[in-house]
Amino acid sequence: MFRRLLLLTLLLTLTGCAYLQRMRQEAIATKETSQTAGAKLLRAPADWGDLARDVAYRLSQRASQLSLGDRLVYVAEPAQPTPFALALRQYLQSNLSEQGVAVAQRRSETSLVLEADVQSVKLASGLQIVVTTALGNGARYLFRGTEAYAVNQADVKLYDASLLPPPPPPPAPPSVTKQMTVTGSL
């Protein structure tokens, strides 16, 4: 009888703890959702691939309408090399290839250029980023899309270029030295 009572008490305690943990997680999610003011929430880096997949799909649909022929698409290096921007470029290259778009390894005169511009916007509720992807031929845009995303505050350093460490200083120039041989005795 005592063992059953002890087991029941333990079971109720564990159930209560699990319930409280779930309620805490829901409250955090609700708070994050209210802070994003309608913007999608990026959870680094799990959602980055989804973002790139969506862009690659829309771009491949547009490319099929334009009949690009054999034109290659070069995904440009990011202007601000944040961890997010660098990973987004890799995701875009992979996802465009998966969608059947011919992706160039290097930029050429004839390749179309896909740029992914990431801007961070500091708000009272936290950081949001604006991601603009644009495919152009040098004269005009063939595809362009802009989306806003909220960012988990713990992940801000992955998105905001102002939080990146400064680049290392250039190496010091080699010092000029001259060797002389001294002979004789004192």
Side-chain angles (χ1 to χ4, degrees):
M1 178 75 166
F2 179 72
R3 284 185 177 173
R4 286 184 182 173
L5 186 58
L6 184 61
L7 184 61
L8 182 61
T9 303
L10 181 61
L11 183 63
L12 287 173
T13 303
L14 290 175
T15 303
C17 289
Y19 177 76
L20 288 175
Q21 179 66 19
R22 185 171 150 226
M23 294 301 289
R24 182 177 172 270
Q25 288 174 341
E26 287 177 7
I28 290 171
T30 301
K31 181 180 177 187
E32 287 176 348
T33 302
S34 67
Q35 287 179 345
T36 63
K40 299 170 195 166
L41 181 64
L42 282 182
R43 299 186 200 295
D47 294 335
W48 301 353
D50 293 337
L51 185 160
R53 231 179 328 281
D54 181 49
V55 169
Y57 175 75
R58 288 186 286 130
L59 191 142
S60 70
Q61 295 300 308
R62 181 71 176 136
S64 67
Q65 294 170 353
L66 295 172
S67 302
L68 299 180
D70 293 338
R71 304 269 315 255
L72 297 175
V73 173
Y74 174 75
V75 182
E77 296 279 342
Q80 298 290 330
T82 62
F84 169 72
L86 293 170
L88 180 60
R89 179 176 188 256
Q90 297 294 319
Y91 275 121
L92 285 170
Q93 290 171 327
S94 298
N95 286 294
L96 286 168
S97 294
E98 290 170 7
Q99 290 290 329
V101 175
V103 178
Q105 292 180 336
R106 290 173 208 35
R107 190 177 199 152
S108 73
E109 293 290 323
T110 60
S111 62
L112 300 172
V113 177
L114 176 64
E115 294 177 338
D117 182 49
V118 180
Q119 298 174 336
S120 57
V121 180
K122 293 178 177 118
L123 304 171
S125 61
L127 186 79
Q128 288 194 10
I129 60 168
V130 177
V131 179
T132 300
T133 50
L135 179 69
N137 63 8
R140 66 184 185 109
Y141 291 118
L142 305 173
F143 167 86
R144 189 170 165 86
T146 302
E147 295 283 337
Y149 299 90
V151 174
N152 280 329
Q153 293 311 300
D155 300 328
V156 165
K157 64 186 174 296
L158 300 174
Y159 303 92
D160 191 352
S162 69
L163 300 175
L164 291 175
S175 59
V176 179
T177 58
K178 187 174 183 179
Q179 271 188 323
M180 296 175 37
T181 306
V182 179
T183 57
S185 61
L186 291 175

